[in-house]
Amino acid sequence: MRIELKYGGGSLPLELPESVQVDIYEPKSAAPLADPVEKLHAVLDAPLGCLPLEARDAPRSVAIAVPDETRPFPVKLLLPPLLDRIFAAWPMLKGEDVTVVIGGGLHPPADAAHIARVLPDDLRGCRVVAHDAEHSPLVSFGRTSRGTPVELNAAFGGADLKIVMGMVDTHQFVGFTGGAKGAVIGCASAAAIAANHKMLRDPKAVAGAIDDNPVRLDLNESGELAGIALVVNVVLDAAKRPVAVLAGLPALVMREASRVTAELYGLAFSEPYDIVIASCGGKPKDICLYQAQKGLNSAMQCAKKGGHILLAAQCEQGIGDDVYFDYVSRFSSTQALMADFEGREFRMGAHKAYLFARATLQYDVVIHSDLSKELLDACLLTRGDMQSSVTGWLAETPGARVAIIKNANSSFFYQE
């Protein structure tokens, strides 16, 4: 049998014998919205838990946080109608009173070319700020009950009306992305991001969980302290088409959007697999190694301990994070890295090395990528060809049970 897996902007073929027991996992289908802009206007007319824009007192300034290009949120489609609503609601506002902040968290701040790829051409004269977690001016809103400093880009945090646009997607330790996260992580200080993400080792910090997940609950509290007034979230299908648009208070939108996301991307399995072949889902999910790791986490959820995992990730933008690479490349073994990480204060970037190492210590992991063997060796990862690796594993393990995950970065598994 021949199976096509998404890889960058294209696909990879995988040939498997007809005799092999294979279960193919992909997101459930849902009808894409016929008119996402019309739906946006409808949810802005009646946002969850709060007043529509037109019923609010006029703000002196507005800030809108949008994701960078590592998230396939349709900024060019949905930002212009939101701006139309803002300027129609408050005609006294000028373009310079509205700021669009590209929130990439600890990703490198967006340069001019990146901004052009993300934002629409006509921004009605609004200011544009590319967030830099290390250097941007900040506004502080205190600390959460878990001790996380709520420090946001001043261009966002200083606005009278704070709006966040983003997508809701499965996240390996936040539960789901979305809600306040686009600002309280996307536009936050490096210290704030690290304080929140250090809780990733908590047993309750898992994909698909929000009710008792400390990382997610901390994000919700951060959003409340920062005074985020409105979020606009979308849920996308596997083809990156909007199937839901929601607007309102962050926690309420998060609850409804996560329910829709779980229906699409939550996958049930009966028993762990000997071999798991996972595609991140193509671009932008596999745009760099740093992002691709999330697909490995999904594969781990359904793989037998000690079993084989093949992760297909093109990584056209390379490693994706200098802190991660500088840290992981210091070590000659995964065991040494884990011992060092556990003995140090939590550090963002380095945590990605920990997550990779946690996988490679429990499973036989091979990465099919455009990255060179030398780069992956430096990351303590094994580079291999998907077809030859899987063929070899099947020869070694007669009767092997095989799982193929077509959109691993967006999927999570639960055992029936």
Side-chain angles (χ1 to χ4, degrees):
M1 73 186 77
R2 181 185 176 95
I3 299 163
E4 295 285 336
L5 296 175
K6 293 178 182 177
Y7 184 76
S11 64
L12 285 174
L14 176 65
E15 297 284 351
L16 294 175
E18 295 293 337
S19 60
V20 173
Q21 178 185 345
V22 180
D23 292 328
I24 300 175
Y25 291 95
E26 53 190 322
K28 300 177 185 71
S29 61
L33 294 172
D35 189 340
V37 172
E38 180 182 6
K39 181 62 175 177
L40 172 64
H41 284 299
V43 298
L44 288 174
D45 286 340
L48 298 174
C50 63
L51 294 172
L53 297 174
E54 294 80 2
R56 299 171 184 260
D57 293 336
R60 291 168 299 176
S61 58
V62 179
I64 306 169
V66 301
D68 67 11
E69 66 180 347
T70 65
R71 306 290 187 266
F73 177 81
V75 180
K76 292 185 177 183
L77 177 67
L78 297 184
L79 179 57
L82 176 61
L83 292 175
D84 289 343
R85 291 285 291 244
I86 289 169
F87 287 114
W90 305 300
M92 71 290 296
L93 286 177
K94 300 177 182 178
E96 59 264 29
D97 298 324
V98 179
T99 303
V100 177
V101 183
I102 300 177
L106 286 170
H107 305 163
D111 58 16
H114 186 152
I115 291 171
R117 291 192 295 269
V118 170
L119 298 183
D121 294 332
D122 183 9
L123 283 173
R124 306 283 297 273
C126 298
R127 296 174 57 222
V128 175
V129 172
H131 177 61
D132 183 336
E134 300 286 355
H135 303 106
S136 289
L138 303 169
V139 175
S140 175
F141 295 91
R143 290 179 178 269
T144 68
S145 58
R146 293 174 175 80
T148 299
V150 185
E151 299 169 337
L152 304 184
N153 187 297
F156 181 84
D160 283 348
L161 179 66
K162 304 175 187 68
I163 300 173
V164 181
M165 303 186 83
M167 62 178 290
V168 177
D169 199 6
T170 304
H171 191 286
Q172 60 185 320
F173 58 83
V174 177
F176 295 96
T177 63
K181 183 176 182 290
V184 299
I185 295 297
C187 300
S189 69
I193 298 169
N196 172 265
H197 282 18
K198 72 181 181 182
M199 291 181 277
L200 64 85
R201 287 174 283 191
D202 190 294
K204 295 179 180 179
V206 295
I210 61 172
D211 290 336
D212 59 354
N213 185 325
V215 186
R216 166 47 67 182
L217 295 174
D218 193 60
L219 296 180
N220 293 351
E221 186 179 353
S222 295
E224 292 173 3
L225 290 173
I228 294 171
L230 180 75
V231 299
V232 175
N233 278 166
V234 302
V235 179
L236 305 177
D237 68 7
K240 306 177 182 67
R241 300 171 300 185
V243 298
V245 180
L246 302 101
L249 290 178
L252 296 180
V253 169
M254 189 71 248
R255 180 163 298 281
E256 178 60 18
S258 64
R259 182 190 64 77
V260 176
T261 305
E263 289 178 356
L264 289 179
Y265 295 100
L267 304 172
F269 73 104
S270 58
E271 59 180 291
Y273 292 89
D274 302 292
I275 298 171
V276 178
I277 301 134
S279 160
C280 296
K283 190 175 180 178
K285 298 293 188 179
D286 69 352
I287 199 168
C288 63
L289 186 63
Y290 193 88
Q291 292 298 323
Q293 180 275 328
K294 299 169 187 176
L296 181 57
N297 181 76
S298 179
M300 291 168 60
Q301 294 169 3
C302 67
K304 183 181 294 184
K305 290 290 173 63
H308 304 289
I309 296 176
L310 187 294
L311 181 68
Q314 185 181 54
C315 305
E316 71 170 27
Q317 293 188 7
I319 300 297
D321 186 84
D322 290 341
V323 174
Y324 158 62
F325 186 70
D326 289 345
Y327 180 74
V328 69
S329 59
R330 298 177 196 172
F331 301 96
S332 58
S333 73
T334 302
Q335 291 82 356
L337 183 151
M338 288 291 278
D340 183 85
F341 184 86
E342 294 287 0
R344 288 177 177 263
E345 183 176 348
F346 183 86
R347 186 184 178 197
M348 285 300 298
H351 82 291
K352 191 66 71 168
Y354 163 80
L355 292 171
F356 269 120
R358 186 172 64 178
T360 58
L361 284 175
Q362 299 179 72
Y363 307 91
D364 173 30
V365 176
V366 171
I367 312 292
H368 180 113
S369 175
D370 286 5
L371 294 174
S372 69
K373 181 180 185 302
E374 290 72 24
L375 271 178
L376 286 173
D377 283 349
C379 295
L380 303 178
L381 296 170
T382 301
R383 186 179 190 274
D385 174 73
M386 178 171 68
Q387 184 65 65
S388 60
S389 296
V390 173
T391 299
W393 293 337
L394 289 172
E396 296 169 3
T397 316
R401 298 180 67 252
V402 179
I404 294 177
I405 314 173
K406 288 198 167 185
N407 289 78
N409 277 43
S410 298
S411 302
F412 69 97
F413 284 84
Y414 57 92
Q415 192 164 4
E416 290 182 315

